[in-house]
Amino acid sequence: MMREITLDELLQSREQRWAMQQELIHSHPGLSLICLTVIMPGNVKRNSRSLTVARAAVEAMQQHFAGNTVHLSTRDLETGFEAYLLTSLSPAHAKRVACHIEDTHPLGRLFDADVIDRDGRPISRSSIGEAPRKCLLCNREARYCMRNHSHTQEELHRKIAEMIEAYVRRV
């Protein structure tokens, strides 16, 4: 259940995810696509914690996009969980909803809900006036800490475990 993946497997999964996005965008013109993944640092992308986060993320997406969901599919892979949701909302509106989920759900910091535009490009938070995501451990931008390796994987895994345990106790 806790198999480490290689860099090649991770890169291949990203290519397959991109291909899936392209297929969904082209076969459903006029709809917005949300591609959901779980943020899980390290070489193990699928474990009981990541699956808890994935279930919570899909539940939140179903709840917040209720009435506007045209299609929802999921893929539970060794390289990480993926969900694809097609909605009738505009890309900007869908991105606002996705950001709201990421910013307010108890595990939302571990969700990566990309809204893909009709040209296959992710819509940025800044393009809809949202602030960049914050680091799990400090108040800096998450990108800054990732680029500079500001925190160890152990620190990140400890924080993620705390978040998931607190969520599971609440549910």
Side-chain angles (χ1 to χ4, degrees):
M1 171 114 176
M2 290 189 26
R3 185 175 78 77
E4 287 192 11
I5 61 164
T6 65
L7 179 58
D8 281 345
E9 287 173 309
L10 183 63
L11 295 173
Q12 185 177 10
S13 78
R14 285 184 182 166
E15 278 186 35
Q16 290 169 351
R17 188 163 49 246
W18 182 84
M20 174 74 89
Q21 291 168 359
Q22 296 304 304
E23 180 184 317
L24 288 167
I25 289 167
H26 295 301
S27 62
H28 298 85
L31 298 178
S32 299
L33 173 65
I34 296 99
C35 179
L36 175 88
T37 55
V38 172
I39 296 170
M40 194 58 57
N43 295 335
V44 176
K45 300 294 182 190
R46 186 186 184 283
N47 55 36
S48 60
R49 288 185 179 141
S50 69
L51 293 176
T52 298
V53 174
R55 279 191 294 278
V58 168
E59 201 174 281
M61 298 271 286
Q62 288 174 316
Q63 180 183 353
H64 284 83
F65 286 96
N68 298 303
T69 299
V70 176
H71 169 84
L72 173 66
S73 61
T74 61
R75 293 170 35 151
D76 182 7
L77 307 169
E78 288 292 329
T79 51
F81 181 87
E82 302 172 357
Y84 301 88
L85 185 139
L86 288 160
T87 179
S88 55
L89 298 177
S90 71
H93 191 172
K95 183 63 177 181
R96 282 197 258 322
V97 173
C99 287
H100 175 75
I101 295 167
E102 289 175 345
D103 294 343
T104 61
H105 190 281
L107 295 178
R109 304 284 298 279
L110 304 177
F111 305 165
D112 189 10
D114 288 334
V115 177
I116 312 300
D117 72 15
R118 289 166 180 98
D119 296 321
R121 291 186 302 265
I123 295 176
S124 68
R125 290 173 74 93
S126 63
S127 74
I128 60 157
E130 289 288 330
R133 294 186 80 168
K134 298 285 184 197
C135 172
L136 286 173
L137 297 171
C138 68
N139 215 23
R140 289 194 212 114
E141 278 189 36
R143 272 185 302 222
Y144 173 86
C145 291
M146 284 189 322
R147 253 193 308 254
N148 293 298
H149 303 287
S150 301
H151 312 289
T152 65
Q153 275 197 15
E154 291 74 29
E155 290 173 304
L156 289 166
H157 284 291
R158 195 167 32 253
K159 177 64 175 177
I160 289 168
E162 287 171 16
M163 291 169 69
I164 294 168
E165 287 164 21
Y167 175 76
V168 169
R169 276 196 302 273
R170 245 185 290 178
V171 176

